[in-house]
Amino acid sequence: MRISVIGCGYLGAVHAACMAKLGHEVVGIDVDEQKIKELSAARAPFFEPGLEELLGEVQDTGRLSFTSDMAAARGSAVHFICVGTPQKKGENGADLTYVDGALNALVPHLSDGDVVVGKSTVPVGTAARLAGIVEQSEPGAHLLWNPEFLREGHAVSDTLHPDRLVYGVIGGSEDHKAVQVLDEVYTVALKADTPRLVTDLATAELVKTAANSFLATKISFINAMAELCEAAGADVTMLADAIGLDDRIGRKFLNAGIGFGGGCLPKDIRAFMARAGELGADQALTFLREVDAINMRRRTRVVELTRELCGGSLMGQRVTVLGAAFKPESDDVRDSPALSIAAQLQLQGAVVTVTDPEALKNAARRFPELQYEESTDAAMQRADALLLLTEWREYRDLDPYETASLVTTARILDGRNVLDASKWRAAGWIYRGLGRP
Ligand code: NAD
């Protein structure tokens, strides 16, 4: 099929490459000329494992191209909308400027039978409004909402092998014409028995925000337990192991630490609360305010713990932050807890050096006032305290004895509870985890 993918960021670039891999003829469209230039040269404009190899592989087939010209969407049977929906400045709600801009630019190029597929995460009610715009400009075209569940760091395999497909259509019927068209796009996944749910537009939009809210709640739940464990002298990692063995609860997403961040969870739960308020259902989501507050409290707690670790004052203390990305295997620093903690420490007088295998360029753009060092060893040299804030494998695998020979004082705060505390203590380190004695 001929497919256009509008918006080639973390979601869209991967989606475009994967659709081409599945055999479709794909054009990726973005307003960012630099991104288009890089993607056209088969270079990934951001770090995502496997993406660059995939871009090279599919571009060699001639099935994938990129452009900034929206007219290139003309002739595609399916148009995926993958543009950003960030948090509005100074408000909790989602900024829909990019979604509206993309759709308005696309509609003059639609033809009879085309299907516009929304993948961006939007407040419930947006799809119905956009469906009206599509229908008005091209009555023979349809709009379908197909929320995306990929995880950065696993985006390629998540897109090629999704755990479920959700299609939202007007009326929520299997018989909707657009359903058959999208089934054709996802033939490979459907043949592999991927569950597919057809819903109305509002339910499909809500599935995405509900899923993210659940995940955020699970993380904040265990972080609240970490606060309690700290107060009671208990160990949250053992607690998580024990409750996680109950398969009604499950162990995944029960890792206490510095909390969640990134370009999705924080802004999605806030936009969800804002939208609930508009719908007169704000009470239903007031718990998310607490989820958000617990999450943000983790960052302050890490600053406090670092001060304790440094003997009561941060003034002039050389603190090395291991990790800048919001999670490992990504260079995404949007709302990264690691960087937010690094910036707070610096404001409070610490001399902070940040290192990360992939995210330093993005980090420096967002926090130019921080000092960055590419080499992990150089970053740790003469440190008074190390903070492991993004659990990249190379930090998890650090040898406590070798590391001790680099730093001035052997103190470490394990913000992700991923190190073997007894091993580090045995090597002479003062070790602090979160929610652990
Ligand atoms: P992003 O900021 O990385 O990418 C958005 C892209 O859209 C940018 O390249 C931007 O230049 C482009 N764009 C903006 N306006 C445009 C226009 N009018 N025409 C063409 N391109 C335009 O954002 P992202 O992380 O890829 O997220 C996109 C959407 O997908 C968001 O709604 C997000 O919540 C959702 N989502 C993201 C992920 C993820 O892991 N990143 C997962 C699931 C859902």
Side-chain angles (χ1 to χ4, degrees):
M1 290 175 91
R2 192 169 190 281
I3 288 174
S4 65
V5 175
I6 298 148
C8 297
Y10 286 93
L11 162 58
V14 173
H15 194 69
C18 289
M19 292 302 105
K21 166 88 180 165
L22 294 176
H24 302 299
E25 190 191 325
V26 182
V27 58
I29 304 170
D30 201 292
V31 289
D32 183 335
E33 299 279 359
Q34 183 58 30
K35 229 172 238 181
I36 290 302
K37 210 167 121 191
E38 292 198 32
L39 286 164
S40 301
R43 279 195 307 269
F46 49 86
F47 176 73
E48 178 61 45
L51 177 61
E52 198 146 287
E53 294 77 358
L54 182 61
L55 283 169
E57 179 194 328
V58 287
Q59 278 186 15
D60 285 346
T61 66
R63 287 198 302 270
L64 180 62
S65 61
F66 292 95
T67 175
S68 56
D69 181 6
M70 189 62 90
R74 191 176 283 275
S76 289
V78 176
H79 312 270
F80 285 101
I81 306 274
C82 301
V83 299
T85 48
Q87 185 174 341
K88 273 189 204 158
K89 287 205 168 68
E91 280 179 57
N92 267 351
D95 180 356
L96 295 176
T97 322
Y98 306 101
V99 171
D100 287 332
L103 189 78
N104 287 327
L106 170 67
V107 286
H109 306 291
L110 292 179
S111 316
D112 189 33
D114 281 11
V115 180
V116 177
V117 182
K119 286 196 95 49
S120 303
T121 304
V122 292
V124 58
T126 306
R129 178 172 66 76
L130 301 182
I133 299 173
V134 169
E135 210 205 317
Q136 225 176 15
S137 340
E138 175 47 69
H142 306 281
L143 180 129
L144 185 155
W145 216 262
N146 172 223
E148 178 57 55
F149 304 103
L150 68 81
R151 298 160 301 165
E152 281 175 31
H154 306 269
V156 172
S157 70
D158 285 353
T159 306
L160 291 172
H161 314 285
D163 50 14
R164 79 279 211 195
L165 292 163
V166 175
Y167 300 1
V169 288
I170 292 174
S173 162
E174 285 269 345
D175 304 329
H176 196 290
K177 273 188 196 157
V179 170
Q180 287 134 43
V181 177
L182 202 57
D183 276 353
E184 213 179 317
V185 173
Y186 292 133
T187 306
V188 175
L190 292 171
K191 275 197 183 141
D193 285 335
T194 305
R196 186 208 67 176
L197 292 95
V198 179
T199 71
D200 52 59
L201 290 175
T203 305
E205 291 166 306
L206 282 173
V207 166
K208 177 64 191 173
T209 36
N212 275 358
S213 299
F214 190 85
L215 295 174
T217 304
K218 210 168 169 191
I219 297 172
S220 277
F221 171 81
I222 202 64
N223 281 331
M225 293 306 111
E227 288 184 14
L228 228 71
C229 284
E230 275 165 27
D235 186 338
V236 75
T237 57
M238 294 301 292
L239 180 141
D241 288 345
I243 64 172
L245 284 169
D246 181 334
D247 61 12
R248 292 170 303 176
I249 296 174
R251 182 64 177 81
K252 283 184 184 163
F253 265 61
L254 280 187
N255 294 322
I258 64 172
F260 58 81
C264 290
L265 254 50
K267 61 114 175 143
D268 286 350
I269 62 168
R270 290 175 194 151
F272 200 17
M273 284 187 270
R275 185 64 186 136
E278 287 167 8
L279 293 169
D282 44 344
Q283 262 193 335
L285 296 187
T286 44
F287 75 94
L288 285 179
R289 218 181 297 157
E290 200 51 45
V291 166
D292 202 1
I294 293 167
N295 193 53
M296 299 314 284
R297 230 167 29 232
R298 297 318 287 165
R299 302 180 184 188
T300 326
R301 179 72 188 135
V302 171
V303 175
E304 277 167 28
L305 275 176
T306 311
R307 193 193 320 278
E308 275 174 31
L309 198 62
C310 290
S313 168
L314 288 168
M315 272 303 164
Q317 292 288 312
R318 299 171 60 92
V319 175
T320 298
V321 170
L322 301 170
F326 86 99
K327 67 188 287 196
E329 301 299 322
S330 175
D331 67 353
D332 195 346
V333 299
R334 289 178 287 185
D335 203 358
S336 162
L339 277 182
S340 142
I341 290 164
Q344 284 182 54
L345 287 168
Q346 168 137 315
L347 276 176
Q348 296 192 30
V351 180
V352 180
T353 303
V354 180
T355 185
D356 188 286
E358 297 291 342
L360 290 190
K361 250 209 247 147
N362 286 343
R365 233 174 276 139
R366 216 152 255 239
F367 287 94
E369 67 275 25
L370 290 169
Q371 181 175 309
Y372 299 99
E373 171 56 60
E374 266 180 45
S375 146
T376 312
D377 279 5
M380 295 192 298
Q381 231 136 40
R382 297 193 297 121
D384 296 308
L386 300 183
L387 268 54
L388 195 168
L389 299 187
T390 311
E391 66 276 38
W392 286 94
R393 172 139 304 276
E394 65 175 271
Y395 305 149
R396 302 168 74 131
D397 289 348
L398 281 173
D399 178 78
Y401 291 96
E402 279 171 26
T403 310
S405 69
L406 295 171
V407 299
T408 298
T409 323
R411 303 165 174 148
I412 187 156
L413 192 153
D414 178 6
R416 300 287 184 171
N417 288 338
V418 289
L419 300 175
D420 181 340
S422 53
K423 204 167 120 190
W424 283 74
R425 286 188 178 125
W429 288 78
I430 301 177
Y431 169 94
R432 287 299 304 259
L434 295 184
R436 302 169 91 178

